[in-house]
Amino acid sequence: MTNKADNVQEQLERLRSLISDYNYQYYVLDDPSVPDSEYDRLYRELTQLENKHPDLITADSPTQRVGAKPDSGFAEVVHELPMLSLDNAMDHDEMVNFNRRVNERLGQSSDIEYVCEPKLDGLAVSLLYEDGLLTRAATRGDGSQGENITLNARTIRSIPLKLRLEKPPKKIEVRGEVFMLKSAFEALNDDAREQGAKVFANPRNAAAGSLRQLDPQITAKRNLSFYAYSMGLVSDDFELAESHFDRLQQIKSLGLPVSDEVKVVKGISECLAYYSDILQRRDSLEYEIDGVVNKVNSIELQERLGFVARAPRWAIAHKFPAQEEVTQLLGVDFQVGRTGALTPVARLEPVSVGGVTVSNATLHNMDEIERLGVKINDYVIIRRAGDVIPQVVSIIEERRPDAVVAIESPKECPVCESPVERAEGEAVLRCTGGLVCSSQRNEALKHFASRKAMDIDGLGDKLVEIFSEKGYVKTISDLYRVSKEQITGLDRMGEKSAENLLAALEQSKSTTLPKFLYALGIREVGEVTAKNIANHFLTIETIMQADQQQLEAVSDVGPIVAQHITAFFDNDDNRKQVQELIDLGIHWPEVRQKSDSELPLKGKTYVITGSFEGISRAEIKDKLESLGAKVAGSVSKNTSALIAGEKAGSKLTKAESLGVEVLGVEFLDTI
């Protein structure tokens, strides 16, 4: 007769093995074989079984990652082999010199084989496995000793608690980087803002702060990740590979994740090509990197090259241009936008950030200024990532000068001197001047002429400002009254340029109701909302007459948006402008409600990523929406499918991790 305890033990072992396999597929292979719901079901089953039989819980069980009591502090750990730092190369010339030194020391002229790895912007850690079990995790610290963070490391799902070997070595130390995905970082800061808590400046700070929490349960909620990049101490019963790249594959076979971006290259030219390629793709990666680590691949050559001071001679970090820099805030100006919003902009001592000279950075609003505690003359940290507008992320309090000046909210518009107001519940200050304010008028005109609105080719921002300054255009409808003589009278505007602009203005009169509605610049009425309103009410007259309740019946229109729409059309000047534009010839095809058979994708949500041959993402979006689908900007569990093209980045990774279907653009041809 089978012992009941034996059956329970077998169930526990089966569940632990399955969950460990799924963790390996998810975090290491990036190829999950079951949906999250199945993983969650097995995890709950294991938890319930262990709760009934606590005496059978083992240290390597997946359930033992979280739940330890907060520690009173971190004990020191002395590294048995020092965790060395790397020398840096700040430009291509320094990389060439590094390669020359390597060749000279080895006495050879042929191309060296290197391994190129993304330099993750996180926190270096050491993971010690004894007889296959994770027994200790430590930070790098000063290289000689770090902090014991074992309880926190156990909460990171990409770090296995048990190695995937039947006969594991007596001792093996794996080194790598703990980091936070961009999506996890954004979610963490969103939660912090909702709770009125302090937000993190960047993913690295968030990862470091999360890993050093005294309460592992807090760390567990932070969704940290890990990639391995080398081995430290290894006992003699484990045969190491003869190249660095092959050792990384050994690490991967043990069950630890290694970045898919790791690549073996030949010679300095391929190192530099790898650097240029990944720098170009930097913003599309799902995690932050700040350079490339280049390592001589051959272990025998590494040993011949040896070390100098605290760094190996066989490796170097080729750093990217910094995305964060320190500079002094010299003053604050308030810019007035299309809707009257006043945005505080910091005037800075010019500084190079990410290879671009930055002299201005956004401060968002007065609430952000108060949160930062920033004052004029403070030394501040500026961050610039990709095409994102530079922003002030924090102040350096210890460098605060004696002569600092508080930043005060303006009482009047800096452009038109109209009173400034701040609506209840809003963080934004607004000018009350409307079209009296030249800044609001210019921004409204630029928006009206933009590609997604009326798409007036050739009417750029500078020309709009000139028309406004000269008094040719005081309202939106005046754009269609500008004469050829007025245009040719401007600098660098000849007869042909004038004819082209007048033709573009005439061509723009043929539009669609959603585009026209969007072009009017009603607060919080974007492209999708404008399309939903147009498809619901069908005519501009009906939209102008709609009340709050009728507007709220439209998809994506809530009380606040409805209030903005009714306020816009309750204004006599706005109604007059609409009528004048129609009288000047602006027209669109009749909008009719489509039947359900014409909307086969109704109720479905799609996300588009990557590039496509022969069709733009905007065209794909229009096609999807014409078939009834909703197009979202980010992937979630509610996404029906991701339409992915070439060079799809983090959205593709997230879709795969959530089990969201991935389609090619050709799927549209089947509908």
Side-chain angles (χ1 to χ4, degrees):
M1 185 173 177
T2 307
N3 189 305
K4 186 177 180 181
D6 289 341
N7 281 339
V8 171
Q9 185 68 46
E10 286 175 12
Q11 281 181 273
L12 288 167
E13 288 176 2
R14 179 184 63 83
L15 289 167
R16 289 168 186 158
S17 177
L18 270 175
I19 292 170
S20 294
D21 284 343
Y22 294 153
N23 276 335
Y24 177 73
Q25 293 165 5
Y26 187 98
Y27 293 108
V28 180
L29 302 181
D30 198 19
D31 187 21
S33 61
V34 294
D36 286 358
S37 56
E38 174 64 9
Y39 179 96
D40 293 340
R41 185 189 66 76
L42 292 168
Y43 195 94
R44 281 195 302 272
E45 187 179 339
L46 176 60
T47 303
Q48 290 165 1
L49 201 55
E50 287 185 342
N51 287 340
K52 290 180 182 177
H53 304 277
D55 55 313
L56 297 178
I57 297 175
T58 58
D60 61 319
S61 172
T63 62
Q64 299 307 294
R65 292 183 179 275
V66 190
K69 292 180 180 178
D71 198 350
S72 58
F74 296 106
E76 286 187 353
V77 171
V78 176
H79 300 299
E80 295 181 63
L81 285 178
M83 292 185 72
L84 299 173
S85 57
L86 293 174
D87 286 335
N88 292 327
M90 304 310 294
D91 55 37
H92 281 24
D93 288 343
E94 291 184 8
M95 271 298 300
V96 171
N97 286 334
F98 163 75
N99 181 67
R100 176 184 53 76
R101 291 193 301 272
V102 167
N103 277 281
E104 286 176 355
R105 286 187 177 277
L106 294 173
Q108 63 182 63
S109 57
S110 58
D111 284 340
I112 299 289
E113 194 171 70
Y114 291 102
V115 176
C116 296
E117 307 169 15
K119 187 175 182 299
L120 296 157
D121 199 9
L123 196 71
V125 298
S126 157
L127 305 175
L128 181 64
Y129 290 86
E130 295 180 294
D131 296 321
L133 299 179
L134 177 65
T135 57
R136 191 190 71 200
T139 61
R140 177 184 176 277
D142 63 3
S144 297
Q145 61 184 37
E147 294 176 317
N148 190 320
I149 50 152
T150 307
L151 294 178
N152 289 349
R154 291 173 67 86
T155 71
I156 302 172
R157 289 197 171 186
S158 48
I159 294 177
L161 303 179
K162 183 179 182 180
L163 297 179
R164 295 176 61 82
L165 280 179
E166 285 187 20
K167 293 182 178 180
K170 183 174 178 58
K171 187 179 286 189
I172 186 166
E173 180 195 359
V174 177
R175 294 172 174 181
E177 200 90 359
V178 169
F179 60 96
M180 186 174 283
L181 296 174
K182 293 175 183 176
S183 56
F185 171 70
E186 290 164 7
L188 178 63
N189 272 351
D190 285 345
D191 288 343
R193 290 187 189 97
E194 286 179 14
Q195 296 167 20
K198 183 179 178 180
V199 298
F200 287 98
N202 53 54
R204 187 196 183 284
N205 289 358
S210 301
L211 196 59
R212 298 191 71 257
Q213 287 289 327
L214 293 178
D215 185 350
Q217 295 189 35
I218 296 175
T219 305
K221 295 175 182 176
R222 297 290 178 82
N223 202 6
L224 296 173
S225 299
F226 173 83
Y227 274 154
Y229 55 64
S230 71
M231 296 185 204
L233 183 71
V234 179
S235 56
D236 293 338
D237 55 343
F238 186 78
E239 186 175 349
L240 288 166
E242 294 300 315
S243 74
H244 174 67
F245 184 79
D246 288 342
R247 288 188 179 184
L248 290 179
Q249 305 317 301
Q250 284 183 307
I251 290 173
K252 197 170 181 178
S253 70
L254 296 174
L256 292 116
V258 174
S259 171
D260 290 337
E261 297 289 344
V262 174
K263 184 178 180 182
V264 178
V265 303
K266 196 92 169 181
I268 187 62
S269 60
E270 291 190 10
C271 285
L272 297 177
Y274 178 96
Y275 175 93
S276 298
D277 173 66
I278 204 163
L279 175 59
Q280 187 178 3
R281 296 187 291 113
R282 178 185 194 177
D283 294 324
S284 67
L285 296 178
E286 59 183 346
Y287 45 81
E288 294 277 10
I289 61 173
D290 59 1
V292 174
V293 176
N294 305 273
K295 299 174 183 175
V296 172
N297 191 26
S298 166
I299 301 300
E300 188 265 330
L301 294 183
Q302 286 185 13
E303 291 171 351
R304 282 173 56 189
L305 288 162
F307 303 86
V308 56
R310 298 168 64 86
R313 290 194 179 103
W314 43 264
I316 196 166
H318 190 180
K319 299 294 289 290
F320 290 154
Q323 290 189 299
E324 288 186 355
E325 284 292 353
V326 175
T327 189
Q328 190 170 23
L329 191 152
L330 305 177
V332 174
D333 299 321
F334 285 84
Q335 293 182 347
V336 185
R338 173 174 56 84
T339 63
L342 270 65
T343 302
V345 176
R347 278 187 285 110
L348 309 166
E349 185 68 37
V351 62
S352 179
V353 187
V356 175
T357 299
V358 172
S359 55
N360 295 294
T362 182
L363 283 163
H364 299 292
N365 52 51
M366 291 306 297
D367 281 359
E368 180 70 359
I369 288 172
E370 185 177 343
R371 185 190 70 77
L372 291 168
V374 65
K375 297 183 179 182
I376 294 168
N377 294 329
D378 265 334
Y379 284 89
V380 295
I381 296 175
I382 305 301
R383 180 170 176 79
R384 177 186 177 273
D387 296 326
V388 177
I389 297 168
Q391 59 181 319
V392 177
V393 293
S394 63
I395 65 171
I396 303 177
E397 291 189 28
E398 56 268 28
R399 289 188 63 181
R400 170 166 278 175
D402 293 332
V404 291
V405 180
I407 302 167
E408 296 183 356
S409 300
K411 302 292 187 293
E412 295 180 344
C413 173
V415 176
C416 69
E417 299 183 352
S418 296
V420 167
E421 66 178 20
R422 180 172 177 171
E424 188 177 347
E426 284 194 4
V428 178
L429 299 168
R430 292 188 190 277
C431 164
T432 59
L435 292 181
V436 170
C437 178
S438 61
S439 184
Q440 284 190 65
R441 180 172 65 243
N442 288 350
E443 292 304 315
L445 289 166
K446 292 172 189 175
H447 173 77
F448 185 84
S450 65
R451 185 176 58 81
K452 292 180 179 179
M454 299 302 288
D455 193 17
I456 305 174
D457 189 32
L459 185 59
D461 292 356
K462 189 63 180 174
L463 202 52
V464 165
E465 289 169 5
I466 293 171
F467 284 166
S468 180
E469 286 170 13
K470 290 190 171 291
Y472 297 166
V473 175
K474 295 179 181 177
T475 66
I476 290 172
S477 58
D478 284 342
L479 281 173
Y480 295 97
R481 299 188 180 96
V482 174
S483 68
K484 184 176 180 180
E485 291 71 27
Q486 288 174 322
I487 300 172
T488 54
L490 302 176
D491 288 342
R492 300 179 183 177
M493 293 296 286
E495 189 166 325
K496 184 64 176 175
S497 297
E499 289 173 356
N500 288 342
L501 179 58
L502 290 171
L505 283 161
E506 190 63 32
Q507 185 177 350
S508 74
K509 291 179 181 179
S510 178
T511 185
T512 66
L513 178 54
K515 277 180 170 285
F516 180 71
L517 195 58
Y518 172 67
L520 293 176
I522 304 168
R523 275 181 65 187
E524 298 193 37
V525 175
E527 292 177 88
V528 174
T529 304
K531 191 170 291 187
N532 290 341
I533 293 169
N535 290 335
H536 183 90
F537 291 105
L538 307 182
T539 69
I540 189 67
E541 291 78 15
T542 315
I543 296 169
M544 292 168 70
Q545 293 164 8
D547 59 25
Q548 181 99 5
Q549 187 176 357
Q550 290 170 322
L551 285 163
E552 286 183 39
V554 179
S555 174
D556 286 342
V557 176
I560 293 174
V561 177
Q563 192 175 1
H564 290 325
I565 298 168
T566 54
F568 183 90
F569 288 118
D570 282 346
N571 182 295
D572 289 339
D573 288 335
N574 290 338
R575 295 174 74 92
K576 182 182 176 185
Q577 274 296 296
V578 170
Q579 190 56 55
E580 285 187 10
L581 288 165
I582 293 171
D583 291 344
L584 285 162
I586 290 181
H587 61 281
W588 50 83
E590 179 184 354
V591 182
R592 65 177 184 84
Q593 285 185 332
K594 292 184 177 181
S595 65
D596 286 346
S597 62
E598 294 174 291
L599 301 170
L601 301 183
K602 188 176 181 180
K604 294 183 179 292
T605 302
Y606 293 86
V607 175
I608 308 166
T609 188
S611 57
F612 303 86
E613 190 174 346
I615 188 169
S616 69
R617 282 157 66 161
E619 290 171 321
I620 297 171
K621 180 182 177 183
D622 287 343
K623 176 71 172 175
L624 287 166
E625 289 177 342
S626 71
L627 295 168
K630 179 180 177 181
V631 178
S634 58
V635 177
S636 73
K637 61 183 180 181
N638 297 320
T639 304
S640 304
L642 174 74
I643 299 177
E646 292 294 320
K647 295 184 178 178
S650 57
K651 289 178 183 176
L652 176 59
T653 304
K654 188 170 183 182
E656 290 172 342
S657 71
L658 293 173
V660 171
E661 186 178 9
V662 179
L663 302 170
V665 71
E666 58 275 4
F667 128 86
L668 290 172
D669 298 330
T670 66
I671 301 172

